[in-house]
Amino acid sequence: MEDATATFGRLRPRMLGAAYRMLGSLSEAEDVVQDVWLRWHDANPARIENAEAWLIAATTRRAIDRLRLARNEREHYVGIWLPEPVLTDGPSTPEQVQEASSDLSIAFLTVLERLAPDARAAFLLHEVFEADYAQIADILGKTEATCRKIVQRAKEHLREDRPRYVVSDQAHQRLMRRFLEAVSSGDFAAMKTLMAESAVLVGDGGGVVTSFPKPMVGGDRIAALLYAARLRFKDELHIRGAIINGRMALLRYIHDELESVQSYETDGERIVRVYVQRNPEKLRRVARREVMAMS
């Protein structure tokens, strides 16, 4: 028989994945999972019939509480708030919060910010973790009918804002490799060609570093902005590709320090949206993993 510690360890990646999707912050998700670990020991695990159901329920409830507090903090956040990026191309570790067929993209997590905590939990449980309405009702302390309505309303609320394009990983990577080559070589014409005319850039500096207070619209403007960094920093600027939140993204280094993580949404032929994370606090984990990988 698997003991309580081994059971928790086996299910920890799934719990961390649920908490991260709820909060958009891996550091906060880890705090939630640590809280559940303490509750797990106090609950006498040997008497729990379904450990996975108990742990996911406890994680979701704790994440809802945490998100309610976080939403109050985010109302006073300086500039645009974007999720913390997660590097997912290294060795398998709980930090990767990877789940087959689950959506981890920055675009998806950003859209989820529009939902209230209970609605976000119900939507994720049903749409990503494939929980039935009876399970959701038990976790949220509501009736099945109410949970069904919550999920339906969440779908309607997100319909216009969810990523519109279903693009294969292969198509996305091909386009991103072309863009990486264009940015690295300073080919401004190619950069503009690969940008959709109506492309949008959203940046998060957290009030610590410079970023745009509102989205920048226009493919040519975005290409010019990214190209300007090459002109300014020349050989001190380096770009490399990495898998961030399950999709190829770009890491930009200036003076050998990670300056930004750039996540891209594409339609398979052009870039339609760019998410630039510059908040040093949210870059710390990616930077640390990169240093470890290169050492």
Side-chain angles (χ1 to χ4, degrees):
M1 292 272 306
E2 188 177 48
D3 66 23
T5 300
T7 298
F8 189 93
R10 175 174 58 83
L11 294 172
R12 187 177 187 277
R14 186 169 178 82
M15 296 159 59
L16 194 58
Y20 173 67
R21 288 168 176 82
M22 276 292 295
L23 297 163
S25 166
L26 191 51
S27 57
E28 292 182 10
E30 287 178 331
D31 288 343
V32 164
V33 173
Q34 181 62 27
D35 288 345
V36 175
W37 165 252
L38 298 176
R39 290 191 59 202
W40 174 243
H41 273 281
D42 292 339
N44 193 355
R47 296 187 177 183
I48 295 174
E49 185 175 338
N50 187 329
E52 181 171 355
W54 191 96
L55 288 169
I56 292 298
T59 299
T60 302
R61 292 177 187 131
R62 185 69 188 95
I64 289 172
D65 292 341
R66 188 87 179 208
L67 184 58
R68 286 177 178 144
L69 293 174
R71 284 171 71 90
N72 291 331
E73 295 171 359
R74 290 172 193 177
E75 288 180 1
H76 303 288
Y77 193 82
V78 178
I80 299 171
W81 186 95
L82 291 177
E84 176 189 354
V86 178
L87 187 67
T88 53
D89 62 351
S92 179
T93 71
E95 288 184 349
Q96 290 181 292
V97 296
Q98 294 190 81
E99 292 245 1
S101 77
S102 296
D103 200 325
L104 268 177
S105 74
I106 294 294
F108 180 65
L109 295 179
T110 300
V111 168
L112 288 180
E113 283 295 301
R114 304 178 189 276
L115 297 178
D118 280 0
R120 184 164 178 163
F123 177 84
L124 286 169
L125 286 167
H126 189 265
E127 296 297 303
V128 174
F129 293 97
E130 299 180 343
D132 59 34
Y133 286 110
Q135 293 172 303
I136 298 171
D138 181 60
I139 291 172
L140 298 185
K142 302 179 184 293
T143 66
E144 290 186 41
T146 297
C147 290
R148 195 181 300 273
K149 289 180 181 178
I150 290 173
V151 172
Q152 184 58 41
R153 287 171 183 164
K155 288 181 181 180
E156 292 171 357
H157 191 61
L158 298 179
R159 186 168 292 129
E160 291 185 2
D161 297 315
R162 289 191 70 175
R164 302 176 186 179
Y165 307 99
V166 179
V167 180
S168 69
D169 287 339
Q170 294 81 0
H172 180 82
Q173 282 211 25
R174 281 196 299 270
L175 177 56
M176 290 310 303
R177 292 193 185 284
R178 290 170 61 196
F179 191 70
L180 171 59
E181 182 179 349
V183 174
S184 298
S185 63
D187 189 341
F188 183 46
M191 291 172 65
K192 289 196 297 183
T193 299
L194 293 172
M195 283 280 180
E197 183 178 345
S198 59
V200 177
L201 180 146
V202 183
D204 178 351
V208 180
V209 297
T210 303
S211 189
F212 293 95
K214 59 183 180 180
M216 171 184 282
V217 181
D220 286 356
R221 294 180 66 202
I222 296 169
L225 173 69
L226 298 176
Y227 179 66
R230 170 62 64 190
L231 295 178
R232 178 181 178 186
F233 295 103
K234 299 181 174 61
D235 293 340
E236 294 299 328
L237 184 145
H238 302 282
I239 310 287
R240 68 176 296 266
I243 306 301
I244 295 289
N245 289 65
R247 280 281 171 118
M248 183 173 174
L250 301 185
L251 308 184
R252 189 164 76 176
Y253 290 84
I254 297 175
H255 304 303
D256 294 326
E257 292 189 4
L258 182 63
E259 176 268 346
S260 64
V261 171
Q262 301 173 7
S263 303
Y264 292 77
E265 183 184 346
T266 77
D267 62 9
E269 297 181 357
R270 298 285 187 278
I271 292 166
V272 298
R273 203 166 185 90
V274 186
Y275 298 91
V276 180
Q277 183 56 260
R278 298 194 66 225
N279 185 336
E281 183 65 29
K282 297 181 184 180
L283 296 178
R284 185 169 291 118
R285 190 184 305 269
V286 173
R288 185 169 63 245
R289 285 278 302 277
E290 282 288 284
V291 169
M292 291 172 61
M294 291 186 287
S295 61

